[in-house]
Structures are given as structure tokens and as C-alpha cells.
Amino acid sequence: MRKRSLAGVAAVAASALLLTSCSGSDDDPAADADFSAAPSGTLAAWGFENADDVGQSRLDYAAEQLPDVEVTLDATAFDAQKFTTRIASGDVPDVVQMDRRYVTTYAAQGLIMPLDACFEAKGVDPTERWYQNVVDDVTYQDAVYAVSQFYQPPAILLNMNVLNEAGVTPEQFDTSDMDGLLAAISKIYQASGSNPTRLGLDPVATGQGGLWVLGMGGQLTDADGKPTLDDPANAAGIDALKQITDAQGGYAAVKSFTDSFDTFGDANQFVQNQVGAQVANQWYPNVLGAYRDRISLKAVPFRDADGKPFSLASGTAFVIPAGAKNPAAACAWMTDLTSTDAWMAAGTARAETISGKGGLNTGLFTGSPEADTMIRDRFVEPTGDAGFDQVISAYYDVVQSGKSFGSSPAGQDIQNELNNAITAVLLGDKTTEQALADAQQAAQRAYDNATAN
């Protein structure tokens, strides 16, 4: 059995629990799980915080498929400390929903089960059900450890009211041409003294930092999941972000301005013309659809250093903790929740919700190419707004160009340290080289702790 390296008493207790629960195998936490058994009994699940129409419809669908399973749902947000504490106390859920960046961390520590046998029992081929980059996010040492859901790619949303006023075209928002991009930004940018009042481009420097670094040719991990934050190729993306923020008053001023945005409200940054463009994930046009009579949108893909459309996978996933009492029901429940039929039920529910509110249907981006296509074909119709129709198509196009962040036992730490490095560089506190070197040291420590034998 692999040793675990979690913090404090929880680590020791969790390890002891797993040594007991995995006694049937020295290597595989799923060795004693019979995923082919008929699903029945009580299933303890942790996830679906504030389930909306999409989540509830899928829960209802899974319940219909599993009449002999009683699901008890802890519908609170995932918390890493709570997760390890529950394992340490023996209060092990059968299914846990978490961000995909956590999955490999727990896989390396032996705290969750590999699911290849689950997939085989249910006739699921991961590379057919999900986009390859989505599968790559949750693969560790050639085993898949999670059932993924959602992949809502980022692209660049354009505020055409602002662009038209400034005489800037969508084609000028080409992230592979920094000189042209900076020229477009400077034509749009406005300030009152040293304070921005309009950004040419909000790059979402820390929230989308991985997009810029990987898109510009960097890499966050090697093939084994070891952090590579000090790779010289990572500098290009950070340096691009510094150029963009320096051209708009500096990072501190940009961050202060963007923090004031009423992102989900009636005075959001597009209604108020506070941005000419912004990097945004696919779900955000759903928010802006309520204001289509006041705004004019288009979208362009983020382009990599070679000028090709580029996107990154992100989303959540379901895992089965080691020591779960009902792995057969857990396997059936997770695969039912992410089946095409479940997603079509969600698509129907969303269409009914939108119809009742007079909104726009921008589709659902499920993480599954088959479900995405079927939902688009059945539910996504012309909106009557050419700009929104173009935005919807742009996101459907860019989803095909997605890449994985890189699966690593230190995945969340790598993301955090990358954000720390970006912030330090943009504020001028460190050179890019020094910031990445410091980030690499911290991420390597996290990796070493997660993989300690």
C-alpha cells in the first residue's frame, strides 16, 4: 500500500483507514470493488451544491435508472480539508464531486479508486464518452480516476459597441499578434487620471493564467505530472499579460477596476461599456443574454503562438473514495448522470427554463462530444440576434481545440503557484524568471509530498 502524505493527524488516520479498507491489494484501492454487482442500497453522495435545472434533471434521471438505490446527498461545496477529515474519521462518501484539478492529487495518494473496471462493467469507453483533453485531466499512471462533467471553454468576447466606436475590428483581437493586439487595446483604453474607465482587453490574468501560458507555448507539467513552472517557455504568456496590463495603467489599477465590475448584474461591464473585450468561459454569454437589447457581441478564439485556436479543459468530476461502502451503486450513478440520455434530459429542462423566461439557448457544454452535438442540434436555434448567434457558434468551434492543463498530483498547487508568479511579475515585484523559479520550488515540494513513498 502506498504511503500518504496529508497534513497532520488527518493524514495518519486516513492512511490507517485505507490500509484497512484496501487490504485486498497492495496497490489498487478498487481491488475489492465489484462494479458489476446490481446497484442497490444506500448511496452517500457529496456534490450538486445549489443544483439548477441542469443538475436536478440529471439527478432525477439517475434516480429513475436506479430504483433500488436510495441516494443521500450532501449538497455542499467541495472542501479539501473536509474531504481528508471525513476519510480520517471513517465517514467515507461513496461519491464525491470536485474540481478536476484535485483528482490526480488524490489518485497519487491512494485516496480515490481507479475507475477502469467501473467503465468496463458499464460498457463505457472514456475516450468516446468524453473529449480526450477532458479524459487527460483525470488520468494518472495510465488509469482514469474520475467521471467528468462539463467543459466550458474560454474565448474572447467582444463588445462591438465599443469596438465600432473606436474603429477596431474583431480580427485585431489576435493573441498570436501582440503588436496588433496592443495597438487595438490602446485605441479602446480610456482612463481618468491613472484609473482605467474602459479596458481594451480584460485578459483575466490570474483566472485565465494557464490559458495564456500554455497557449503561448509553455507547459505546467511534464509527461509524469512533475511541475515544470520554471520552463523558459512559460515566460512568453506571462510577459504577454504584463504588456497588456502595463498598457492599461498597470496590473494594480486593472485589478482594482475589474474587481468593481457588476459581472452578474444589470450594470455589468458590457452594458456599461467598461471593456472592449474580455476572456470569458462559455457560460458567460448566458448571463449576457438578458441584456441583448442593450449590448452587441461577437467572439473570437484565443489563438496560440502559431495563430491556431486554443482552449483549455476545465470542469468538475465525480470520484469514488477508497473505502467507499457502495462502489457498485456509485459507479452506476456516476455513469448514469453523465450519459447522453441524462444530458438530453438536462437539455430539455434548460430549454423549458429558457422558454419560460424568454432567454437565449446557448447550448450545454457537457464534456461529452456526443451530448454536445445532440443538444445543439435539438435545442440551439437562431436567436434573432446575429451577434449572439456568432458567439454561440464561436464557442462550439473552439471546444474542439481544447487541451488538458496536465494531470499532476500537485495540480491545484501548480495552479496556485502559477497565479502567485503571475501576480508577482505583473506587480513588478519579481522578474519573470525569478517568479517562475520560486513557483517551481513550491510546486515541487507539493509534488514530492503528494508522491512520497
Side-chain angles (χ1 to χ4, degrees):
M1 171 59 63
R2 288 169 290 189
K3 295 181 181 177
R4 280 80 182 171
S5 53
L6 301 177
V9 175
V12 177
S15 296
L17 171 69
L18 291 176
L19 283 167
T20 300
S21 64
C22 301
S23 58
S25 170
D26 290 335
D27 299 308
D28 185 358
D32 295 330
D34 182 6
F35 294 117
S36 63
S40 62
T42 299
L43 174 73
W46 177 13
F48 284 95
E49 178 193 15
N50 298 321
D52 60 5
D53 51 353
V54 171
Q56 190 59 53
S57 60
R58 292 163 58 220
L59 287 170
D60 293 344
Y61 173 82
E64 291 174 0
Q65 308 312 305
L66 302 170
D68 296 327
V69 176
E70 180 184 354
V71 179
T72 60
L73 187 63
D74 175 0
T76 58
F78 176 77
D79 178 88
Q81 184 174 359
K82 178 181 175 181
F83 178 64
T84 53
T85 300
R86 289 186 68 169
I87 290 179
S89 68
D91 178 22
V92 183
D94 296 301
V95 176
V96 179
Q97 178 181 317
M98 63 180 63
D99 189 285
R100 291 202 286 269
R101 300 303 299 277
Y102 285 106
V103 169
T104 308
T105 301
Y106 297 127
Q109 295 170 347
L111 297 182
I112 58 177
M113 297 184 185
L115 299 181
D116 299 270
C118 163
F119 295 136
E120 182 178 1
K122 299 303 175 185
V124 173
D125 182 341
T127 59
E128 290 184 0
R129 176 164 290 194
W130 296 285
Y131 295 98
Q132 183 64 56
N133 54 315
V134 171
V135 178
D136 291 344
D137 274 353
V138 294
T139 299
Y140 179 63
Q141 294 184 345
D142 298 323
V144 181
Y145 277 83
V147 167
S148 295
Q149 59 173 358
F150 300 114
Y151 163 34
Q152 295 169 310
I156 301 176
L157 274 182
L158 305 176
N159 185 341
M160 293 308 299
N161 289 335
V162 170
L163 266 64
N164 291 336
E165 176 189 317
V168 174
T169 66
E171 291 73 22
Q172 290 175 267
F173 280 85
D174 181 346
T175 46
S176 68
D177 176 10
M178 283 304 301
D179 289 340
L181 179 61
L182 290 170
I185 289 171
S186 68
K187 291 185 71 174
I188 295 170
Y189 175 69
Q190 295 179 357
S192 175
S194 59
N195 298 315
T197 58
R198 175 180 295 174
L199 297 179
L201 169 65
D202 176 11
V204 193
T206 51
Q208 298 284 0
L211 177 72
W212 289 89
V213 170
L214 293 174
M216 295 299 157
Q219 65 169 16
L220 305 183
T221 67
D222 66 12
D224 298 320
K226 296 179 181 177
T228 58
L229 290 175
D230 57 352
D231 187 319
N234 291 336
I238 298 179
D239 291 344
L241 286 169
K242 184 163 178 57
Q243 286 182 284
I244 290 169
T245 52
D246 283 354
Q248 302 181 101
Y251 178 66
V254 169
K255 183 68 164 58
S256 178
F257 183 50
T258 58
D259 284 348
S260 73
F261 289 170
D262 184 26
T263 301
F264 298 98
D266 294 341
N268 64 71
Q269 63 273 21
F270 284 84
V271 168
Q272 296 296 107
N273 291 325
Q274 293 171 309
V275 294
Q278 185 177 47
V279 176
N281 286 345
Q282 180 275 335
W283 55 264
Y284 194 53
N286 289 283
V287 175
L288 296 179
Y291 309 99
R292 62 186 182 276
D293 59 336
R294 302 167 62 187
I295 63 177
S296 177
L297 295 184
K298 286 190 176 180
V300 294
F302 185 96
R303 295 189 181 276
D304 66 16
D306 296 324
K308 298 177 181 178
F310 182 86
S311 187
L312 280 176
S314 62
T316 57
F318 300 106
V319 301
I320 302 179
K325 299 177 181 64
N326 198 345
C331 172
W333 192 66
M334 296 188 304
T335 52
D336 281 339
L337 283 169
T338 57
S339 67
T340 299
D341 286 343
W343 284 119
M344 290 304 290
T348 300
R350 174 54 54 87
E352 291 173 351
T353 299
I354 291 170
S355 176
K357 295 181 177 180
L360 302 180
N361 196 327
T362 63
L364 291 177
F365 284 62
T366 67
S368 165
E370 180 181 55
D372 283 357
T373 298
M374 290 181 66
I375 289 170
R376 183 183 190 182
D377 289 346
R378 181 170 175 182
F379 298 112
V380 181
E381 300 176 346
T383 65
D385 183 308
F388 266 95
D389 288 342
Q390 188 275 331
V391 168
I392 293 168
S393 292
Y395 278 104
Y396 271 106
D397 289 342
V398 79
V399 76
Q400 304 297 332
S401 62
K403 300 292 188 295
S404 170
F405 278 95
S407 173
S408 172
Q412 195 62 45
D413 293 282
I414 290 171
Q415 180 64 52
N416 293 341
E417 294 305 329
L418 175 64
N419 285 338
N420 290 339
I422 290 172
T423 301
V425 173
L426 299 191
L427 288 173
D429 295 337
K430 297 179 182 179
T431 65
T432 304
E433 182 180 13
Q434 184 59 56
L436 288 172
D438 292 345
Q440 173 66 19
Q441 289 184 356
Q444 185 65 48
R445 286 194 297 270
Y447 177 88
D448 291 341
N449 288 336
T451 58
N453 293 315

